[in-house]
Amino acid sequence: MRSQRLQRLKKVFVKSYGCQMNVYDSERMADALAVDGYEQTDSVENADLVVLNTCHIREKAAEKVYSELGRLRTLKQRRAEEGHETRVVVAGCVAQAEGEEILRRAQVVDVVVGPQAYHRLPAMVRAAQKGRVVDTDFPEDDKFAHLPKLERKRVRSRGVSAFLTIQEGCDKFCAFCVVPYTRGAEVSRPVAKVLDEARALADAGVREITLIGQNVNAYHGAGPDGREWGLGQLLHAVAEIEGVARIRYTTSHPNDMDDALIEAHRDLPQLMPYLHLPVQAGSDRILKAMNRKHTGDAYRRIIDKVRRVRPDIALSSDFIVGFPGESDADFDQTMRLVADIGFASAFSFKYSTRPGTPAADDTAQIAEAVKAERLARLQALLEEQRQAFNRGTVGKVVEVLLEKPGRHPGQLGGKSPYLQAVHLDGAGLAVGDIVPVLITAQSSNSLQGEALRGRAGETNAPGDTAAADVA
Ligand code: 5AD
Ligand code: SF4
């Protein structure tokens, strides 16, 4: 044991692609490897172990992995000439989808591990000394049970906002999406486990917890009372944990926005007024072809309900343009829906054919140029709405959670309740503080403001709506 401690700490470089679930998984892989003596590094050049936690959602995301592996081949050779070994791991959804194929395509890879098997990563890395290893099982055992407990120091070093996975996988089978295949069926973690992890985060100084899942509002975890709890009930329990000042959740499906969840937006001051609710398209014909199982009007009704309980809520969504068969008239319906609702932010993509998904075999694929033109029009409208939303905050007081040093010396940066980046003079303030801030100006990607420290009670008492006009 002692001699092991005296050995040079090995270094691991972890690169995360894609969604927030991957960010969480990357952290947990680093935690598991820390037990085996791996220290995290930001420099790939010095890494004894490189982990690429990959994304398979669109073709471009998947292709990025292979170009990165090309660069790693050169690096591995160079390090070998200098007498250092480098092991390369491909984790995440590309690993799950392509498995052995990755070993064939990329000689540089030592280990391929899927998103449900990464608790075994340290053992796989050890085994890789004898030969290449692949594990893309959906094992019976729960990976969370095998991961090390959250360590205070490690959590702290990652900041005051943290992700917490409460649910994985998806049973919805949208016709364009690989997630049900790469992440498997929907599984919810038991309530007690979620609350334990939330408490550990809060104990380590985390102020904001984002509950994450591929279909987070389909959450149905086993409760301590022997019943299944939905996300609404879970949010109430997380809100009771001391130190948790802010809660968010992502990503949701419209059909799982039940009343308990909507009412939580009315009843829980800790639940931030921000909702990411992907709609994908505005045309009922396309929504049906996408197997979304909801209409444009059903989506509008949900938004109306949410806005009734939380009028200031910031809305966000995902959109796909150029799904097979999408006509100009269909696309106009998407533009109409966006114009009607008004989003604070959004992600929009050209449809990307994913092998193995039902839409990939559709013969009515849309020309690339048409997709590009539609995407440009949609993005212009969404950008206009984003800027308008941000403009609406100027002159108001919002509570900002200070997360990190800002762009300029003396500045701090944080987030408004609406997930807007805010920069301000940090004199007398510290990371982790939540302060009322008068928003004074807007630039393209952030807001500037002045902290009204000590005036919190006058301007923005807890439980009030998050943004108040300056009287
Ligand atoms: N092509 C383009 N976008 C996709 N998404 C999922 N699959 C595809 C695909 N095949 C988008 C959806 C989803 C987001 C995470 O990625 O909008 O909500
Ligand atoms: Fe993919 Fe649809 Fe499931 Fe979202 S709900 S992960 S888009 S299949």
Side-chain angles (χ1 to χ4, degrees):
M1 189 71 195
R2 198 177 168 77
S3 66
Q4 259 181 13
R5 279 217 196 98
L6 291 176
Q7 273 178 14
R8 183 180 77 89
L9 270 180
K10 294 165 285 183
K11 291 200 160 57
V12 58
F13 173 83
V14 186
K15 183 163 178 175
S16 200
Y17 299 82
C19 66
Q20 286 142 337
M21 178 87 56
N22 267 11
V23 175
Y24 176 89
D25 290 344
S26 294
E27 289 175 354
R28 304 301 280 137
M29 281 189 257
D31 291 345
L33 290 162
V35 177
D36 257 20
Y38 282 94
E39 178 185 58
Q40 232 171 317
T41 172
D42 292 336
S43 146
V44 67
E45 273 80 19
N46 300 328
D48 306 290
L49 181 64
V50 179
V51 179
L52 303 182
N53 196 15
T54 61
C55 172
H56 200 242
I57 198 94
R58 284 169 292 275
E59 195 179 352
K60 254 197 204 147
E63 280 309 314
K64 269 190 207 157
V65 179
Y66 286 102
S67 34
E68 186 65 36
L69 288 173
R71 283 191 287 274
L72 286 176
R73 198 176 68 164
T74 317
L75 177 67
K76 191 169 182 167
Q77 258 164 12
R78 204 181 65 223
R79 279 178 49 91
E81 284 156 17
E82 293 163 1
H84 302 299
E85 262 190 342
T86 316
R87 302 236 175 265
V88 175
V89 177
V90 176
C93 293
V94 176
Q96 190 63 44
E98 299 191 4
E100 301 264 345
E101 177 64 20
I102 298 175
L103 296 187
R104 271 191 290 279
R105 267 184 80 174
Q107 275 303 316
V108 70
V109 176
D110 300 287
V111 174
V112 176
V113 62
Q116 301 308 336
Y118 68 72
H119 53 297
R120 299 177 183 160
L121 182 57
M124 294 172 75
V125 171
R126 272 178 259 130
Q129 285 174 350
K130 298 203 195 82
R132 306 164 93 193
V133 193
V134 178
D135 187 348
T136 51
D137 271 3
F138 283 96
E140 282 295 302
D141 50 341
D142 167 20
K143 74 174 172 235
F144 295 104
H146 297 272
L147 288 167
K149 282 220 167 315
L150 289 181
E151 213 184 282
R152 240 181 118 83
K153 212 170 72 199
R154 296 181 67 79
V155 172
R156 239 243 85 95
S157 71
R158 288 174 183 153
V160 293
S161 297
F163 295 129
L164 198 176
T165 294
I166 64 166
Q167 178 279 340
E168 282 191 86
C170 181
D171 295 343
K172 296 280 192 294
F173 290 91
C174 298
F176 50 79
C177 187
V178 287
V179 167
Y181 313 98
T182 54
R183 290 278 178 167
E186 249 176 58
V187 180
S188 296
R189 294 179 70 190
V191 171
K193 301 273 183 216
V194 172
L195 296 181
D196 279 351
E197 197 166 322
R199 268 185 227 108
L201 292 170
D203 283 349
V206 166
R207 313 276 344 255
E208 175 178 283
I209 296 180
T210 303
L211 305 179
I212 56 174
Q214 262 94 30
N215 221 318
V216 75
N217 58 342
Y219 179 82
H220 56 275
D225 53 3
R227 297 182 184 200
E228 276 195 353
W229 287 28
L231 181 59
Q233 197 175 357
L234 182 71
L235 287 168
H236 277 267
V238 176
E240 276 172 22
I241 296 173
E242 207 182 312
V244 178
R246 289 183 162 193
I247 312 170
R248 303 179 185 276
Y249 61 92
T250 199
T251 272
S252 300
H253 190 284
N255 291 355
D256 294 314
M257 285 305 295
D258 64 16
D259 287 347
L261 178 53
I262 293 175
E263 283 158 16
H265 278 283
R266 178 192 64 201
D267 300 334
L268 292 175
Q270 295 92 335
L271 184 57
M272 289 295 100
Y274 184 94
L275 173 63
H276 180 69
L277 193 63
V279 63
Q280 314 296 357
S283 145
D284 288 347
R285 205 175 66 83
I286 294 300
L287 286 168
K288 193 165 191 334
M290 285 178 164
N291 194 31
R292 290 288 294 177
K293 301 198 175 85
H294 63 78
T295 61
D297 275 350
Y299 185 85
R300 285 177 165 87
R301 280 195 297 275
I302 294 160
I303 297 299
D304 285 348
K305 255 180 150 175
V306 176
R307 277 187 162 147
R308 234 172 284 139
V309 301
R310 192 73 216 225
D312 65 327
I313 199 154
L315 296 170
S316 164
S317 197
D318 290 343
F319 297 91
I320 295 177
V321 302
F323 184 80
E326 185 185 70
S327 66
D328 284 340
D330 290 319
F331 176 66
D332 285 346
Q333 298 281 315
T334 300
M335 294 293 279
R336 169 74 64 83
L337 182 136
V338 172
D340 288 349
I341 291 180
F343 291 93
S345 70
F347 300 92
S348 45
F349 313 100
K350 288 190 269 188
Y351 169 71
S352 165
T353 310
R354 305 313 289 130
T357 58
D361 301 327
D362 200 311
T363 50
Q365 300 289 332
I366 303 296
E368 206 42 45
V370 175
K371 288 188 203 172
E373 191 268 337
R374 288 181 187 163
L375 187 66
R377 276 172 57 202
L378 175 61
Q379 289 188 336
L381 177 59
L382 289 166
E383 179 59 12
E384 219 175 83
Q385 294 190 342
R386 190 174 74 88
Q387 296 299 344
F389 183 85
N390 288 344
R391 210 161 36 244
T393 329
V394 177
K396 293 195 170 155
V397 176
V398 297
E399 295 213 329
V400 174
L401 167 60
L402 300 174
E403 292 177 328
K404 55 183 182 206
R407 284 194 216 116
H408 305 295
Q411 267 196 343
L412 286 174
K415 294 274 162 44
S416 78
Y418 313 106
L419 213 59
Q420 297 153 298
V422 181
H423 292 100
L424 50 111
D425 178 354
L429 301 170
V431 167
D433 288 350
I434 298 179
V435 286
V437 172
L438 171 64
I439 303 300
T440 51
Q442 162 197 23
S443 44
S444 62
N445 283 316
S446 65
L447 301 170
Q448 289 80 52
E450 288 162 18
L452 305 180
R453 194 143 214 198
R455 291 176 55 195
E458 290 163 38
T459 53
N460 216 10
D464 280 2
T465 47
D469 280 299
V470 185

